[in-house]
Structure formats: C-alpha cells, structure tokens
C-alpha cells in the first residue's frame, strides 16, 4: 500500500506541475500577453499608446522573462497570495472564499440527491431485471444521460417564472446566515445537476447489484431461508454500494465542470459564474487562478478516489 | 481449355472476391440491424439531421440572420413554426442553420481529435518506452481538468472563433481515445499472429499498421460515435456560455445562451426547441454507440446470440 501510495502521489505531483505549465502557456504565450488582449494591439477595445502599454506592462511585471513570471506565480501561490482581479482590485483569494461555499453546497446536494434517487431506482431495476419496470427505467435513464444539465436548469428557471412566479435570487446568502434563502439559491442548480447524476448513479447501481445478485454467498443466504428483503439489504446492497459511492467521487470532478454552465443558467453567484464573468471580461489573473483551482481540485479528487479503490481492493495495490 | 489454366492464388487461399465482400458486408449490416433496431432508428435520425444541416440554405424558410422588429418574441405559428426570438429572427430557420454549424464543429473536432488519439494510442502502445511515458504524462495533464474547463482554457489561449472552438473540442477528445486505443494495442501486441508476423520479418511499422491497427478500429468506432455526442454537448455548453460560436451566427448552444438576456420573461419556445434538439441528437449518438459496441464486441455478441 505504501509503495502504491508513493508512486501514485509522485504522479499526482507531476500532474500538478504539468497543470501549472499548461495554464501558464495558455494564458501568456499563445495569445501574446493579457494586456495585448484587452488593448487594440490584440482584439480588445482599450486604446493605449505604446508608451502607456509599456508602463502598464512594467507595473504588472509582464515585461520580465517568461520563466521569471512563471516562477513568481508559483511563489505567490505557495505564499497563499492569488493576486487581485484586474478590473476590481479585489483579492482573488477573497473572491474564492466568498463564492466557494455556494458551489460546494450545490455539488454536495447534487451528489446526495443522486444517491437518494439513483440507488433505489438502480437496485429496483437490477432486482427486476429484464422485466417491464426495468426496461422502462433503463429507457428513462438513457434519455436522462443525454439531457444537458444547463438546459435542464434553464427549463427549471422557466417553469419557476411562468408557473410559480419564482426566480432564483442573484445574491449570495450563506446557509449559516439564512437557511431558507440559501436553499432557494442552491436547490435549483443542485436539482439540475443531480438529475443527470442520478441517471449515472442508477446505471452504476444496477450493474453493480446485478453482479452480486447471483454470487455464491447470496445463494447460501437464500438456502439458509433468509427473507428476500434481508438478503437484498444485508448481503447485496452492502457490497454493491461501495463502488457506487466511490465513483460518486469521480462524478464530483465532473460536476465541477458541469456546474459552470448550470450556475450561469440560474445566475447563481458561485465559482463557475465568477469564471464565466472573468472569461468575458478577460480578467486574466482571475481566470488563471480559478482554472488552477479547478485543476487542483479535480486532481486531488481523482487521487483520493484511486486511494480508496486501492484500500478497498487489494488487487490494485499489489498490481 | 479453361481447365488447364492454373487456379488463381485467390482460389487456393479461399479468399473472397471484392464483389462478394460487399455482399457480405451488406449481409452482416442487415443482420446487425435486426439485432439492434434502436441503433438503426438512431442512425436514421442522425442521417436525417445531417441532411437537414447540409441542405440548410435550401430548406430554411427564412434567413437565419434577418431581423424583423415587427415580429419579435412571437410564439410558434404556421408562419414561424418555432416562433421568433427577441430580434424577430425565425427560430426554425436558426435551428436548421444552427444544425449546420453545430454538426460541422462536432464532426470535424471528433475526426481531428479521434484520429490524433488513434495514432498516438497506437504509437504509444506499440513503441512503449520513452514515447509512451512522455505521451501519457502529457495526456494526464490534459485529463486533470474537467472537459469544459480544459476547452475554456484552450479557447482563452487561442481566441474565440469557429476554428479555435473545433481545435479546443478536438483536444479534449484526444486523451480518452488515446487511452482506449493504447489499452487495445497492449493486449493485441501479445497475440500469436503478431508474433508470427514478427517471426516472418515484418517491420515494426508494417506490424503496427497492418496487424495491430485493424484490431483497434472496432472499439475506436464506438468511441467516435459516443464522442460525437460529447462534442455536440461541449459546443452547446461553450456557446451557451458565450465563449464558443459567436452570435449572430446561430448554433444550438448560443441560441440557448441568447435566452439568458431575457431574464424577465423568457419565451418558452426559445428554451424548449434548441434544448430538445441537442438532447435528441446526443441521445441518438449514445444509442448508436451502444448498439455498435454490442455488435462489434464478440464477447457481448456471443451472449446476445
């Protein structure tokens, strides 16, 4: 286990370094520098004379060699300083701390929702496999996996406005300040993301339960005369749900990407909306560090999922 | 007489003539079609959408860019089948022209991305060693982002535009494809017919392309079909967020994005139809991929028979 952990950790760290290089290349090298983008030198609208540009570059450190800029960026991150928003001057760390609770709450509720909906449906489908109910459920699940979550979000907003005179609040309200207001903000995006995820969870549960349903130990339990309900709960689900829960971790990574578009659909002020806003304003420091945050989170989640697999399944750790 | 003529090499080896090969293909496709009716339906729907996209200029009743301020936000009528948007543009025509752009982006990006992935996977699986190590490290970095975030990052670097959207989506398709092809190559490489070819003195290049590559085509095709759906989804998401296909050119994604400006009373027809079109298209790609996988994978095929 220790050896597996060490190699896996080394590769995760290599990936993290790779992430920073890729982000830096995309932000600084491909388009010219950020100032060129917002000024008329590139595609932007701001009229700056060459002298002004030069001064602005110097003040932002953009006139230094690339490796100095890259090193400086890494040092700043190591010190916990993520820089400031180019347009608002707000420290990016504050921006992240302010908005992250909303996005994490959405992701968390979406995952719990996917368990509540997906696991019972998947188990039912597996237990009654190839019967009418199962076929119907599988049809619905296949359809649901093709529905874009941001469209689902837009539809929910539309239904809310047209039929319930409700619209998603556009301000940040934390759970610990006013839980009613907070739920109003996060519940819509959580449902939009959670429904698609439920379909995936249900499919996973179904195949996982099916695999175990005909195992020897289940047959033994049956021949002992145990009731079907006890067999399912104690001997099948307990085993079948482990991989489902772990895979939800992976889905959490996918949610990070999906939540950007869903937050936009609802206008919920989470991290995703901040990223979209920064993209449209070309607020490069915000983009750079938010994308880094997403990459790091995704890598850490994948690492933890791998670890939990290795912990659960000895074949991986010695493989 | 003809009997004295030496038999052709083909007659000896029992290989089929090209003409009957086509017949054979036709038969196996027909057999597959009977076994996977859902796949056939999906294929037909996808082909129809493709035809609509190709002939967009001929079938669209209106100019998709022409604004008409006397006819803004009109619900569906006989004249405007799917209603009009906030600039009075005909939604139906925009959807048809949007199909052209969306499908063009999806198809080209999947072709570019999946071919790159195929070649990289083949080389990396067969050559191994340093090449494999470097490729896998780079792909790991690409895989370290959620797909949409990676595409966004590339779009910032490359700037918005049709070509850059295609490239950005293509890049996100490479790592997955490469991994699948590589894993197939790793197992095929150990087969006896590959060993036999090596023993006969075939060059690594020839073994790779003539013996190993054909074995990877079936799983690759399944991936291409499913990736087509993902690419449509990616284009829709990016354009919805305003960083993909730029208005006024219509795409399925930016038609939905346009609704965001109507925060006070979004017209339902502008939300419903583009989204439904995306869903149906992605659904058909997934179903076709599922059917192809069932038909092409011998292990599953045996179970079905």
């Amino acid at each position: 286990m220790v050896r597996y952990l060490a190699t896996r950790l080394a590769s995760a760290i290599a990936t993290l370094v790779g992430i920073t290089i890729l982000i830096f290349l995309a932000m600084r090298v491909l388009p010219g520098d950020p100032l060129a983008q917002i000024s008329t030198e590139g595609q932007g609208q701001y009229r700056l004379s060459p002298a002004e540009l030069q001064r602005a570059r110097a003040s932002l450190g953009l006139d230094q060699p690339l490796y100095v800029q890259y090193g400086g960026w890494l040092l700043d991150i190591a010190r916990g300083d993520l820089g400031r928003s180019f347009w608002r001057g707000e420290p990016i760390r504050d921006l992240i701390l302010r908005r992250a609770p909303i996005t994490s709450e959405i992701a968390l509720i979406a995952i719990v929702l996917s368990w509540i909906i997906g696991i019972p449906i998947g188990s039912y489908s597996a237990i009654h496999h190839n019967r009418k109910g199962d076929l119907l459920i599988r049809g619905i699940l296949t359809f649901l996996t093709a529905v874009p979550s941001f469209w689902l979000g837009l539809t929910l907003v539309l239904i809310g406005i047209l039929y319930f005179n409700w619209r998603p609040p556009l301000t940040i309200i934390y759970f610990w300040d006013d839980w009613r207001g907070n739920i109003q903000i996060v519940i819509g995006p959580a449902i939009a993301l959670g429904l698609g995820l439920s379909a995936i969870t249900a499919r996973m549960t179904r195949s996982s339960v099916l695999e175990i349903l005909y195992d020897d130990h289940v047959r033994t339990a049956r021949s002992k005369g145990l009731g079907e309900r006890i067999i399912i709960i104690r001997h099948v689900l307990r085993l079948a749900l482990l991989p489902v829960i772990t895979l939800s971790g992976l889905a959490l990574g996918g949610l990070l990407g999906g939540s950007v578009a869903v937050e936009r659909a609802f206008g919920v002020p989470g991290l995703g909306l901040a990223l979209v806003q920064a993209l449209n304003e070309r607020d490069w420091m915000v983009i750079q560090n938010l994308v880094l945050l997403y990459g790091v989170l995704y890598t850490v989640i994948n690492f933890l999922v791998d670890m939990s697999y290795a912990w659960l399944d000895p074949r991986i750790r010695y493989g | 007489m003809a009997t004295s003529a030496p038999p052709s090499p083909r007659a000896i080896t029992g290989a089929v003539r090209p003409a009957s090969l086509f017949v054979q293909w036709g038969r196996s496709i027909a057999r597959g079609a009977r076994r996977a009716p859902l796949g056939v339906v999906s294929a037909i729907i996808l082909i129809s959408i493709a035809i609509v996209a190709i002939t967009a200029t001929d079938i669209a009743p209106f100019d998709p860019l022409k604004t008409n301020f006397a006819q803004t936000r009109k619900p569906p009528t006989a004249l405007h089948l799917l209603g009009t948007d906030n600039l009075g543009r005909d939604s139906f025509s925009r959807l048809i022209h949007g199909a052209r752009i969306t499908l063009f982006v999806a198809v080209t990006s999947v072709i570019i991305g999946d071919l790159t992935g195929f070649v990289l996977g083949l080389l990396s699986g067969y050559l191994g060693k340093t090449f494999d190590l470097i490729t896998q490290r780079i792909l790991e970095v690409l895989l370290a982002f959620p797909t949409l975030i990676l595409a966004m990052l590339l779009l910032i670097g490359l700037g918005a535009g049709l070509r850059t959207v295609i490239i950005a989506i293509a890049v996100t398709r490479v790592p997955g494809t490469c991994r699948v092809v590589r894993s197939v190559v790793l197992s095929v490489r150990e087969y006896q017919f590959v060993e036999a070819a090596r023993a006969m003195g075939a060059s690594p290049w020839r073994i790779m392309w003539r013996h190993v590559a054909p074995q990877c085509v079936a799983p690759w095709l399944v991936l291409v079909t499913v990736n087509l759906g993902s690419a449509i989804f990616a284009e829709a998401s990016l354009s919805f967020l305003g960083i993909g296909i730029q208005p006024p050119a219509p795409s399925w994604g930016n038609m939905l994005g346009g609704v965001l400006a109507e925060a006070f009373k979004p017209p339902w027809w502008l939300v419903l139809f583009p989204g439904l079109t995306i869903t149906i298209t992605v659904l058909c790609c997934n179903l076709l991929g599922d059917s192809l996988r069932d038909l092409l994978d011998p292990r599953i095929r045996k179970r079905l028979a």
Side-chain angles (χ1 to χ4, degrees):
Chain A
M1 187 71 193
V2 174
R3 223 190 83 209
Y4 178 76
L5 193 135
T7 44
R8 189 61 188 75
L9 193 64
S11 100
I13 290 172
T15 308
L16 285 179
V17 174
I19 288 176
T20 58
I21 295 175
L22 177 67
I23 294 176
F24 191 76
L25 284 180
M27 298 298 303
R28 301 290 169 84
V29 180
L30 288 174
D33 69 24
L35 276 183
Q37 285 217 341
I38 49 181
S39 70
T40 34
E41 198 177 303
Q43 309 160 329
Q45 297 128 9
Y46 284 83
R47 284 178 188 286
L48 294 173
S49 70
E52 280 174 319
L53 258 177
Q54 205 48 53
R55 225 173 309 130
R57 282 207 172 110
S59 76
L60 293 166
L62 289 173
D63 54 348
Q64 285 165 323
L66 282 175
Y67 65 87
V68 176
Q69 291 186 38
Y70 176 71
W73 180 42
L74 288 192
L75 270 180
D76 280 349
I77 295 170
R79 263 190 272 125
D81 174 15
L82 298 181
R84 285 163 183 280
S85 156
F86 186 72
W87 301 111
R88 290 184 196 80
E90 183 194 14
I92 295 168
R93 201 173 58 169
D94 293 359
L95 176 116
I96 291 174
L97 288 178
R98 191 156 45 87
R99 286 168 175 250
I102 300 289
T103 301
S104 357
E105 217 183 327
I106 292 173
L108 215 65
I109 298 178
I111 289 212
V112 173
L113 210 62
S114 82
W115 289 343
I116 296 174
I117 302 174
I119 291 175
I121 289 182
S123 319
Y124 176 90
S125 200
I127 294 164
H128 301 88
H129 72 108
N130 282 347
R131 280 188 242 159
K132 264 185 201 152
D134 175 36
L135 291 179
L136 181 72
I137 287 174
R138 272 158 71 193
I140 295 174
L141 294 182
T142 313
F143 180 78
L144 266 184
T145 47
V147 176
S149 48
F150 69 88
W151 177 55
L152 203 60
L154 271 185
T155 315
L156 288 178
V157 174
L158 187 72
I159 293 173
I161 292 176
L162 291 186
Y163 294 103
F164 300 104
N165 200 19
W166 167 87
R167 68 182 51 255
L170 301 176
T171 47
I172 295 180
I173 305 172
Y174 294 119
F175 186 76
W176 45 87
D177 290 339
D178 168 16
W179 67 272
R180 276 169 212 273
N182 172 266
I183 289 294
Q184 277 201 35
I185 296 181
V186 295
I187 197 69
I191 291 176
L193 284 167
L195 269 183
L197 196 58
S198 306
I200 299 171
T201 309
R203 280 181 144 190
M204 268 169 0
T205 310
R206 183 179 179 276
S207 62
S208 177
V209 168
L210 262 182
E211 224 168 79
I212 292 172
L213 207 53
Y214 297 101
D215 258 15
D216 289 343
H217 76 274
V218 176
R219 199 175 47 200
T220 309
R222 274 214 183 91
S223 55
K224 264 198 320 198
L226 284 184
E228 197 62 23
R229 179 183 293 263
I230 291 183
I231 292 177
I232 297 291
I233 291 174
R234 211 184 280 164
H235 294 271
V236 177
L237 281 188
R238 243 175 69 178
L239 281 173
L241 291 191
L242 270 179
V244 174
I245 306 276
T246 334
L247 270 171
S248 283
L250 277 186
L252 187 68
L255 277 188
L256 286 177
S259 70
V260 176
V262 172
E263 282 181 12
R264 180 76 189 86
F266 281 90
V268 166
L271 283 178
L273 199 64
L275 181 59
V276 174
Q277 205 174 10
L279 280 171
N280 288 329
E281 294 174 346
R282 304 213 161 266
D283 198 339
W284 48 282
M285 213 45 200
V286 178
I287 302 174
Q288 189 168 322
N289 284 323
L290 276 184
V291 172
L292 177 71
L293 179 70
Y294 276 98
V296 170
L297 278 178
Y298 201 54
T299 310
V300 169
I301 290 170
N302 282 345
F303 175 72
L304 292 178
V305 170
D306 272 7
M307 283 300 107
S308 68
Y309 266 136
W311 184 58
L312 292 171
D313 189 343
R315 279 171 302 180
I316 296 174
R317 106 179 72 119
Y318 297 114
Chain B
M1 286 297 284
T3 45
S4 63
S8 74
R10 270 173 192 265
I12 294 171
T13 55
V16 282
R17 277 173 290 124
S20 68
L21 195 65
F22 280 115
V23 175
Q24 271 195 339
W25 282 354
R27 280 206 197 108
S28 62
I29 287 173
R31 214 178 312 130
R34 266 199 302 281
R35 222 178 283 148
L38 264 182
V40 178
V41 174
S42 318
I44 292 173
I45 295 178
L46 285 179
I47 291 171
S48 330
I49 297 176
I51 292 173
V52 167
I54 292 167
T55 57
T57 37
D58 299 318
I59 44 177
F62 293 91
D63 179 350
L65 302 180
K66 190 155 180 288
T67 55
N68 178 356
F69 290 99
Q71 292 282 325
T72 56
R73 290 192 198 84
K74 288 277 178 271
T77 54
L79 182 64
H80 296 287
L81 280 175
L82 301 181
T84 60
D85 65 7
N86 58 337
L87 299 176
R89 297 173 296 195
D90 180 49
S91 225
F92 184 56
S93 306
R94 284 181 72 72
L95 201 64
I96 289 174
H97 279 270
R100 179 177 261 188
I101 294 179
T102 299
L103 289 190
F104 178 73
V105 169
V107 170
T108 41
S109 62
V110 166
I111 290 175
I112 296 171
D114 279 357
L115 277 182
T116 315
F118 186 89
V119 174
L120 276 183
L122 196 61
L123 290 173
S124 155
Y126 194 78
L127 299 179
K129 293 184 195 136
T130 327
F131 184 84
D132 184 40
L133 198 74
I134 294 173
T135 319
Q136 292 312 311
R137 280 291 96 80
I138 294 175
L139 293 184
E140 239 156 58
V141 173
L142 293 183
L143 278 172
F145 295 96
T147 321
L148 201 57
I149 305 279
L150 177 62
M152 281 178 183
L153 182 64
L154 294 171
L155 276 177
I156 304 164
L158 301 165
L162 186 69
R163 216 179 315 157
T164 52
V165 172
I166 292 173
I167 295 172
I169 297 177
V171 171
T172 64
R173 298 296 103 202
V174 174
T177 312
C178 178
R179 290 213 154 170
V180 170
V181 173
R182 177 173 173 269
S183 73
V184 177
V185 172
L186 284 180
S187 65
V188 169
R189 202 170 62 161
E190 307 299 327
Y191 285 171
Q192 282 197 326
F193 69 87
V194 175
E195 206 176 312
R198 210 175 291 139
M200 281 193 287
S203 69
W205 193 250
R206 185 184 164 86
I207 295 177
M208 211 157 66
W209 288 104
R210 295 298 290 268
H211 299 280
V212 178
Q215 303 292 320
C216 308
V217 170
W220 182 75
L221 266 183
V222 174
L223 221 64
V224 167
T225 329
V226 177
N227 272 343
L228 204 57
S230 320
I232 290 172
F233 176 71
E235 185 280 319
S237 308
L238 291 173
S239 304
F240 170 74
L241 292 172
I243 45 179
I245 305 298
Q246 299 299 315
S251 91
W252 293 345
N254 72 21
M255 287 176 74
L256 283 173
V259 179
L260 290 170
E262 317 245 344
F264 291 100
K265 207 167 181 0
W268 59 267
W269 56 94
L270 293 184
V271 174
L272 182 66
F273 298 117
L276 211 55
T277 318
I278 297 170
T279 305
I280 291 172
T281 318
V282 174
L283 181 66
C284 287
C285 291
N286 291 350
L287 287 175
L288 187 62
D290 283 354
S291 310
L292 274 181
R293 194 192 50 223
D294 291 352
L295 292 173
L296 294 175
D297 187 341
R299 275 165 304 170
I300 300 174
R301 191 160 54 190
K302 237 173 261 164
R303 226 181 299 148
L304 285 176

